[in-house]
Coordinates of all heavy atoms in Angstrom, one line a residue:
T8 N -56.4 4.6 55.5 CA -57.3 3.8 56.4 C -56.6 3.0 57.4 O -56.9 3.0 58.6 CB -58.2 2.9 55.5 OG1 -59.0 3.7 54.6 CG2 -59.2 2.0 56.3
A9 N -55.5 2.3 56.9 CA -54.7 1.5 57.8 C -54.0 2.4 58.9 O -53.9 2.0 60.0 CB -53.6 0.7 57.0
T10 N -53.6 3.6 58.5 CA -52.9 4.5 59.4 C -53.9 5.0 60.5 O -53.6 5.1 61.7 CB -52.3 5.7 58.7 OG1 -51.4 5.2 57.7 CG2 -51.6 6.6 59.6
D11 N -55.1 5.3 60.1 CA -56.1 5.7 61.0 C -56.4 4.6 62.0 O -56.5 4.9 63.2 CB -57.4 6.1 60.3 CG -57.3 7.5 59.6 OD1 -56.5 8.3 60.1 OD2 -58.1 7.7 58.7
K12 N -56.5 3.4 61.6 CA -56.8 2.2 62.5 C -55.6 2.0 63.4 O -55.8 1.8 64.6 CB -57.0 0.9 61.7 CG -58.3 0.9 61.0 CD -58.5 -0.4 60.2 CE -59.8 -0.4 59.4 NZ -59.9 -1.6 58.6
F13 N -54.4 2.2 62.9 CA -53.2 2.1 63.7 C -53.1 3.2 64.8 O -52.8 2.9 65.9 CB -51.9 2.1 62.8 CG -50.6 1.9 63.6 CD1 -50.3 0.6 64.0 CD2 -49.7 2.9 63.8 CE1 -49.1 0.4 64.7 CE2 -48.6 2.7 64.5 CZ -48.3 1.4 64.9
A14 N -53.5 4.4 64.4 CA -53.5 5.5 65.4 C -54.6 5.2 66.5 O -54.3 5.5 67.7 CB -53.9 6.8 64.7
Q15 N -55.7 4.6 66.1 CA -56.7 4.3 67.2 C -56.2 3.2 68.1 O -56.3 3.3 69.3 CB -58.0 3.7 66.5 CG -58.8 4.8 65.9 CD -60.0 4.2 65.1 OE1 -60.2 3.0 65.0 NE2 -60.9 5.1 64.7
K16 N -55.5 2.2 67.6 CA -54.9 1.2 68.4 C -53.8 1.7 69.3 O -53.6 1.2 70.4 CB -54.3 0.0 67.6 CG -55.4 -0.8 67.0 CD -54.8 -2.0 66.2 CE -56.0 -2.8 65.6 NZ -55.5 -4.0 64.9
M17 N -53.1 2.8 68.9 CA -52.0 3.4 69.7 C -52.6 4.5 70.6 O -51.8 5.2 71.2 CB -51.0 4.0 68.7 CG -50.3 3.0 67.9 SD -49.2 1.9 68.8 CE -48.0 3.0 69.4
N18 N -53.9 4.6 70.7 CA -54.6 5.6 71.5 C -54.2 7.0 71.2 O -53.8 7.8 72.1 CB -54.4 5.3 73.0 CG -55.1 4.0 73.4 OD1 -56.2 3.7 73.0 ND2 -54.4 3.2 74.3
I19 N -54.2 7.3 69.9 CA -53.9 8.7 69.4 C -55.2 9.2 68.8 O -55.4 9.1 67.6 CB -52.8 8.7 68.4 CG1 -51.5 8.0 69.0 CG2 -52.5 10.2 68.0 CD1 -50.4 7.9 68.0
P20 N -56.2 9.7 69.6 CA -57.5 10.0 69.2 C -57.6 11.2 68.2 O -58.5 11.2 67.3 CB -58.3 10.3 70.4 CG -57.2 10.8 71.4 CD -56.0 10.0 71.0
D21 N -56.7 12.1 68.2 CA -56.9 13.3 67.4 C -56.2 13.2 66.1 O -56.1 14.2 65.3 CB -56.4 14.6 68.1 CG -55.0 14.5 68.6 OD1 -54.5 13.3 68.8 OD2 -54.4 15.5 68.9
F22 N -55.6 12.1 65.7 CA -54.9 11.9 64.5 C -55.8 11.5 63.3 O -56.6 10.6 63.5 CB -53.8 10.8 64.6 CG -53.0 10.6 63.3 CD1 -52.0 11.4 62.9 CD2 -53.4 9.5 62.5 CE1 -51.4 11.2 61.7 CE2 -52.8 9.3 61.3 CZ -51.7 10.1 60.9
R23 N -55.7 12.1 62.2 CA -56.4 11.8 61.0 C -55.5 11.8 59.8 O -54.8 12.8 59.6 CB -57.6 12.7 60.7 CG -58.7 12.7 61.7 CD -59.5 11.3 61.5 NE -60.4 11.2 62.6 CZ -60.3 10.4 63.7 NH1 -59.2 9.6 63.7 NH2 -61.1 10.3 64.6
A24 N -55.4 10.7 59.0 CA -54.5 10.6 57.9 C -55.2 11.4 56.7 O -56.0 10.8 56.0 CB -54.3 9.2 57.5
S25 N -54.8 12.6 56.5 CA -55.4 13.4 55.4 C -54.5 13.2 54.1 O -53.5 12.6 54.1 CB -55.3 14.9 55.8 OG -54.0 15.3 56.0
E26 N -55.0 13.9 53.1 CA -54.3 13.9 51.8 C -52.9 14.5 52.0 O -51.9 14.1 51.5 CB -55.0 14.6 50.7 CG -56.1 13.7 50.1 CD -55.6 12.5 49.4 OE1 -54.6 12.6 48.7 OE2 -56.2 11.4 49.5
R27 N -52.9 15.6 52.7 CA -51.6 16.3 53.0 C -50.6 15.4 53.8 O -49.5 15.4 53.5 CB -51.9 17.6 53.7 CG -50.7 18.5 53.9 CD -51.1 19.9 54.3 NE -49.9 20.8 54.3 CZ -49.3 21.2 55.4 NH1 -49.8 20.9 56.6 NH2 -48.2 21.9 55.4
W28 N -51.2 14.7 54.8 CA -50.3 13.8 55.6 C -49.8 12.7 54.7 O -48.6 12.4 54.7 CB -51.2 13.2 56.7 CG -50.4 12.1 57.4 CD1 -49.5 12.3 58.5 CD2 -50.3 10.7 57.1 NE1 -48.9 11.1 58.8 CE2 -49.4 10.1 58.0 CE3 -50.9 9.9 56.1 CZ2 -49.1 8.8 57.9 CZ3 -50.6 8.6 56.1 CH2 -49.7 8.0 57.0
L29 N -50.6 12.2 53.8 CA -50.2 11.1 52.9 C -49.1 11.6 51.9 O -48.1 10.9 51.7 CB -51.4 10.6 52.1 CG -51.1 9.5 51.1 CD1 -50.5 8.2 51.7 CD2 -52.3 9.2 50.2
Q30 N -49.2 12.8 51.4 CA -48.2 13.4 50.5 C -46.9 13.5 51.2 O -45.8 13.2 50.7 CB -48.7 14.7 50.0 CG -47.9 15.2 48.8 CD -48.0 14.2 47.6 OE1 -49.1 13.7 47.3 NE2 -46.9 13.9 47.0
R31 N -46.9 14.0 52.5 CA -45.7 14.2 53.2 C -45.1 12.8 53.6 O -43.8 12.7 53.5 CB -45.9 15.0 54.5 CG -46.2 16.5 54.3 CD -46.2 17.3 55.5 NE -46.8 16.7 56.7 CZ -48.0 16.9 57.2 NH1 -48.8 17.7 56.6 NH2 -48.4 16.3 58.3
F32 N -45.9 11.8 53.9 CA -45.4 10.5 54.2 C -44.7 9.9 53.0 O -43.7 9.3 53.0 CB -46.6 9.6 54.6 CG -46.3 8.2 54.8 CD1 -45.7 7.7 56.0 CD2 -46.5 7.2 53.8 CE1 -45.4 6.4 56.2 CE2 -46.2 5.9 54.0 CZ -45.6 5.5 55.2
K33 N -45.4 10.0 51.8 CA -44.8 9.5 50.5 C -43.4 10.2 50.2 O -42.5 9.6 49.8 CB -45.7 9.7 49.4 CG -46.9 8.8 49.5 CD -47.8 8.7 48.3 CE -48.2 10.0 47.7 NZ -49.2 9.8 46.6
N34 N -43.4 11.5 50.4 CA -42.1 12.3 50.2 C -41.0 11.8 51.1 O -39.9 11.6 50.7 CB -42.3 13.8 50.3 CG -43.1 14.3 49.1 OD1 -43.2 13.7 48.0 ND2 -43.8 15.5 49.3
R35 N -41.4 11.7 52.4 CA -40.4 11.3 53.4 C -39.8 9.9 53.2 O -38.6 9.7 53.4 CB -41.1 11.4 54.8 CG -40.2 11.1 56.0 CD -40.8 11.4 57.4 NE -42.2 10.9 57.5 CZ -43.3 11.8 57.5 NH1 -43.1 13.1 57.4 NH2 -44.5 11.3 57.7
H36 N -40.6 9.0 52.7 CA -40.2 7.6 52.5 C -39.9 7.3 51.0 O -39.8 6.1 50.7 CB -41.2 6.7 53.1 CG -41.4 6.8 54.5 ND1 -40.4 6.3 55.4 CD2 -42.3 7.4 55.3 CE1 -40.8 6.5 56.7 NE2 -41.9 7.2 56.6
N37 N -39.8 8.3 50.2 CA -39.5 8.2 48.8 C -40.4 7.2 48.1 O -40.0 6.3 47.4 CB -38.0 7.7 48.7 CG -37.4 8.1 47.3 OD1 -38.0 9.0 46.6 ND2 -36.3 7.5 47.0
I38 N -41.7 7.4 48.2 CA -42.7 6.5 47.6 C -43.4 7.3 46.5 O -43.8 8.5 46.7 CB -43.8 6.1 48.7 CG1 -43.1 5.2 49.7 CG2 -44.9 5.3 48.1 CD1 -43.9 4.8 50.9
K39 N -43.6 6.6 45.4 CA -44.3 7.2 44.3 C -45.3 6.3 43.6 O -45.1 5.1 43.8 CB -43.2 7.6 43.2 CG -43.7 8.5 42.1 CD -42.6 8.9 41.2 CE -43.2 9.8 40.1 NZ -42.2 10.3 39.2
N40 N -46.3 6.8 43.0 CA -47.3 6.0 42.3 C -46.7 5.3 41.1 O -46.1 6.0 40.2 CB -48.5 6.8 41.9 CG -49.7 6.0 41.6 OD1 -49.8 4.9 42.0 ND2 -50.6 6.6 40.8
R41 N -46.7 4.0 41.0 CA -46.1 3.3 39.9 C -47.1 2.3 39.2 O -47.9 1.8 39.9 CB -44.9 2.5 40.3 CG -43.7 3.3 40.8 CD -43.1 3.9 39.5 NE -41.9 4.6 39.9 CZ -41.3 5.5 39.2 NH1 -41.9 5.9 38.1 NH2 -40.2 6.1 39.6
K42 N -47.0 2.1 38.0 CA -47.8 1.2 37.2 C -47.3 -0.2 37.5 O -46.1 -0.5 37.4 CB -47.8 1.5 35.7 CG -48.7 0.6 34.9 CD -48.7 1.2 33.5 CE -49.5 0.3 32.5 NZ -50.7 -0.3 33.0
V43 N -48.3 -1.2 37.7 CA -47.9 -2.6 37.9 C -47.8 -3.1 36.4 O -48.6 -3.0 35.6 CB -49.1 -3.3 38.6 CG1 -48.8 -4.8 38.6 CG2 -49.2 -2.8 40.0
C44 N -46.6 -3.6 36.2 CA -46.2 -4.0 34.8 C -46.6 -5.4 34.4 O -46.0 -6.4 34.9 CB -44.7 -3.9 34.6 SG -44.1 -2.2 34.9
G45 N -47.6 -5.5 33.6 CA -48.0 -6.8 33.0 C -48.2 -7.9 33.9 O -48.7 -7.8 35.0
E46 N -47.9 -9.1 33.5 CA -48.1 -10.3 34.2 C -46.8 -11.1 34.4 O -46.8 -12.4 34.4 CB -49.2 -11.2 33.4 CG -50.5 -10.4 33.2 CD -51.4 -11.1 32.2 OE1 -50.9 -12.1 31.5 OE2 -52.5 -10.7 32.1
S47 N -45.7 -10.4 34.6 CA -44.4 -11.1 34.6 C -44.3 -12.2 35.6 O -43.5 -13.1 35.4 CB -43.3 -10.1 34.7 OG -43.4 -9.4 35.9
L48 N -45.0 -12.0 36.7 CA -44.8 -13.0 37.8 C -45.7 -14.3 37.5 O -45.5 -15.3 38.1 CB -45.3 -12.5 39.1 CG -44.4 -11.3 39.6 CD1 -44.9 -10.8 41.0 CD2 -43.0 -11.7 39.8
S49 N -46.5 -14.2 36.4 CA -47.4 -15.4 36.1 C -46.8 -16.1 34.8 O -47.3 -17.1 34.4 CB -48.8 -14.9 35.7 OG -49.4 -14.3 36.8
A50 N -45.7 -15.6 34.2 CA -45.2 -16.1 33.0 C -44.4 -17.4 33.2 O -43.7 -17.6 34.2 CB -44.4 -15.1 32.3
D51 N -44.5 -18.3 32.2 CA -43.8 -19.6 32.2 C -42.5 -19.3 31.4 O -42.5 -19.6 30.2 CB -44.6 -20.7 31.7 CG -43.8 -22.0 31.6 OD1 -42.7 -22.1 32.2 OD2 -44.3 -23.0 30.9
T52 N -41.5 -18.8 32.0 CA -40.2 -18.4 31.3 C -39.4 -19.6 30.9 O -38.6 -19.5 30.0 CB -39.4 -17.5 32.1 OG1 -39.1 -18.0 33.4 CG2 -40.1 -16.1 32.3

């Protein structure tokens, strides 16, 4: 959604961020789905 809005602002009317585009983007930038672990940032250590 953010990429589609960015493309509109950049006047690129024929661009659509598809699932295939997202997969290639994640591979290119070494991004993977990760689990958010617990509440470690809220703990009183």
Side-chain angles (χ1 to χ4, degrees):
T8 301
T10 304
D11 284 337
K12 287 179 183 177
F13 186 70
Q15 285 177 351
K16 287 183 180 182
M17 297 293 293
N18 292 323
I19 308 172
D21 57 336
F22 177 82
R23 294 289 170 254
S25 64
E26 281 297 318
R27 188 164 183 255
W28 175 87
L29 179 62
Q30 196 60 45
R31 289 192 322 261
F32 177 82
K33 291 190 311 187
N34 288 339
R35 183 170 43 253
H36 295 285
N37 204 18
I38 295 172
K39 190 173 181 181
N40 196 23
R41 291 289 187 199
K42 182 170 176 39
V43 175
C44 301
E46 302 167 352
S47 61
L48 298 178
S49 301
D51 178 13
T52 55

